[in-house]
Amino acid sequence: MKSSTWIACLLLAVLSAGGCSFLHPDRMAKPLVVESRMDQGLTLVLPGIEGRGFLNRNIRNGIADGGVPTAIRIYDWTLGPVLAVVSEMWEGRARRKADDLCSTIRAYKILHPNRPVVLVGHSGGCAIAIFAAERLPAGVNVDAIIMLAPSIGPDYDLSGALRHVDGKIYSYYSHKDSGFGGGATWVFGTLDGTHASAAGRVGFNTPAAAAALYKDKLEQIPWSPEMSLSGNDGGHTDWANRTFVFTYLSPRVNFELRAHDQRVRDAARVATTRSDSP
């Protein structure tokens, strides 16, 4: 297929995914970021290159459906649907937007100390989450990162990000993602500039030097036929099905929030023990 045809197909797909969202007011945006929720923690949804639209709203709303008590906010790092291909190919800008996200995380933690932060990315948004996590300063971590069909090269070294996650990084991938995760990334590249099948299609390879870290901190989840029961047939955008998110992702977010609370209690217990020691 000619490059011009790939571009036309990709533009059509992203426009249909996000380009008409202005016709549908986002009534859930404000209720999910009220201060009472901000006090419980922060879950940021990072969209793919289509930008803000129904796909990432489905992810956000599916997380909320599962009883996640934190603020849940869509963090749009993109140039919008019309310039979606530019967002995919402009790695330097993506890394600068990751720096902005890093600053957002740090600012939140200053205002809300000891509260959890979870990042949920779809496609290109996964790369922004990873780029941001690996840029966090020493002593500043997020609690978990959930990646859906990551537009990242399978050999990308996740070690820097893994060291800034208190819980785990979860990466969902599907061999059926042959359009975006296969063909499109060969032509346009992933967000880290790799021209090959993305990790969203084939998974991440484990570097020998970081095998123990990957085993401890990275959980890769391949698509399975059972996921079709929740509306996910393994395609690139199927990971954003609201029922799938409710069924599979919200329990993971809630698990990581409980793990965060336990770490805070353990740290307080250790501090109390030390202060009571003669």
Side-chain angles (χ1 to χ4, degrees):
M1 186 180 288
K2 295 181 179 179
S3 296
S4 59
T5 305
W6 270 112
I7 293 173
C9 292
L10 185 60
L11 280 174
L12 179 61
V14 297
L15 283 169
S16 63
C20 296
S21 61
F22 65 90
L23 296 176
H24 305 281
D26 189 0
R27 296 184 177 87
M28 291 299 294
K30 290 183 178 180
L32 289 176
V33 294
V34 295
E35 190 59 32
S36 59
R37 280 183 167 270
M38 292 290 283
D39 286 338
Q40 296 297 312
L42 178 62
T43 300
L44 294 172
V45 176
L46 306 166
I49 58 173
E50 80 281 355
R52 185 181 293 270
F54 80 91
L55 291 177
N56 35 92
R57 291 183 187 179
N58 281 350
I59 294 171
R60 181 201 61 196
N61 295 343
I63 292 170
D65 291 344
V68 172
T70 69
I72 311 172
R73 173 188 166 198
I74 296 172
Y75 188 95
D76 188 3
W77 60 275
T78 73
L79 290 165
V82 176
L83 296 176
V85 174
V86 179
S87 292
E88 178 75 9
M89 299 175 67
W90 195 349
E91 182 184 353
R93 179 184 180 276
R95 291 188 179 275
R96 289 194 295 275
K97 299 307 290 185
D99 286 336
D100 294 341
L101 174 58
C102 183
S103 297
T104 296
I105 294 169
R106 294 176 65 186
Y108 173 80
K109 284 185 167 291
I110 290 171
L111 293 174
H112 301 272
N114 293 326
R115 303 315 301 148
V117 174
V118 175
L119 306 180
V120 181
H122 177 235
S123 190
C126 302
I128 306 301
I130 295 299
F131 295 165
E134 63 190 15
R135 283 164 165 72
L136 289 170
V140 179
N141 289 358
V142 296
D143 290 271
I145 298 175
I146 298 175
M147 298 192 290
L148 306 171
S151 179
I152 307 174
D155 290 322
Y156 189 86
D157 189 351
L158 299 172
S159 299
L162 289 166
R163 293 189 181 98
H164 282 281
V165 176
D166 288 328
K168 284 189 175 184
I169 293 180
Y170 302 92
S171 182
Y172 289 82
Y173 66 100
S174 170
H175 69 280
K176 297 179 72 175
D177 187 1
S178 57
F180 280 76
T185 54
W186 275 97
V187 176
F188 303 108
T190 58
L191 263 288
D192 61 306
T194 300
H195 290 266
S197 288
R201 186 184 184 212
V202 299
F204 286 98
N205 298 320
T206 301
L213 180 62
Y214 271 57
K215 182 178 180 180
D216 184 44
K217 291 283 190 176
L218 176 65
E219 184 173 340
Q220 301 200 70
I221 304 102
W223 177 85
S224 63
E226 291 80 9
M227 293 179 181
S228 294
L229 298 174
S230 63
N232 181 354
D233 292 324
H236 190 72
T237 60
D238 289 343
W239 300 104
N241 181 282
R242 184 169 176 172
T243 302
F244 168 79
V245 173
F246 164 76
T247 304
Y248 285 85
L249 301 192
S250 60
R252 290 197 185 276
V253 176
N254 281 319
F255 170 83
E256 291 292 350
L257 296 181
R258 291 192 297 271
H260 166 88
D261 290 343
Q262 185 62 54
R263 286 190 292 270
V264 171
R265 288 193 293 270
D266 290 345
R269 189 178 303 114
V270 169
T272 301
T273 302
R274 288 176 177 173
S275 65
D276 290 342
S277 299

